[in-house]
Amino acid sequence: PDRPLDFIDENWYIHSDRSERSVRMYVTRNYSQEKISALISNQPSDAEYRLYCDTVIENNGTIKELEDNIDEALKYCKRQQR
């Protein structure tokens, strides 16, 4: 399919499960379940995000795990550029 973001070299998708996003919005922003559901339902689906991304970085754990996943993706990119 056409990629609407062809002017971008690489598009990364930071993925977290819906349940994880819900918990984070509740804990960090004190959003109601109704607001959380409305926000998530207005977002593109996981499949839509993945359709246009080059790299998926998982973000269902700790900040340290996210940082490690980003570091791995950056290392992979550097290896591909050689």
Side-chain angles (χ1 to χ4, degrees), residues 13 15-16 21 43-51 56 58:
Y13 171 39
H15 170 263
S16 56
R21 287 182 277 155
Q43 295 176 344
S45 70
D46 183 52
E48 288 174 284
Y49 277 118
R50 289 174 187 267
L51 183 63
V56 176
E58 292 299 327

Side-chain angles (χ1 to χ4, degrees), residues 11-26:
N11 192 24
W12 289 16
Y13 171 39
I14 309 296
H15 170 263
S16 56
D17 296 331
R18 180 184 177 124
S19 60
E20 184 65 31
R21 287 182 277 155
S22 295
V23 168
R24 289 175 181 171
M25 284 190 271
Y26 180 76

Side-chain angles (χ1 to χ4, degrees), residues 26-67:
Y26 180 76
V27 170
T28 63
R29 299 178 192 165
N30 201 29
Y31 285 174
S32 68
Q33 290 304 317
E34 294 79 22
K35 183 167 185 168
I36 293 168
S37 293
L39 287 168
I40 290 176
S41 69
N42 284 322
Q43 295 176 344
S45 70
D46 183 52
E48 288 174 284
Y49 277 118
R50 289 174 187 267
L51 183 63
Y52 296 107
C53 75
D54 301 295
T55 300
V56 176
I57 297 173
E58 292 299 327
N59 183 23
N60 289 307
T62 66
I63 295 290
K64 173 72 170 111
E65 290 169 326
L66 174 61
E67 290 170 347

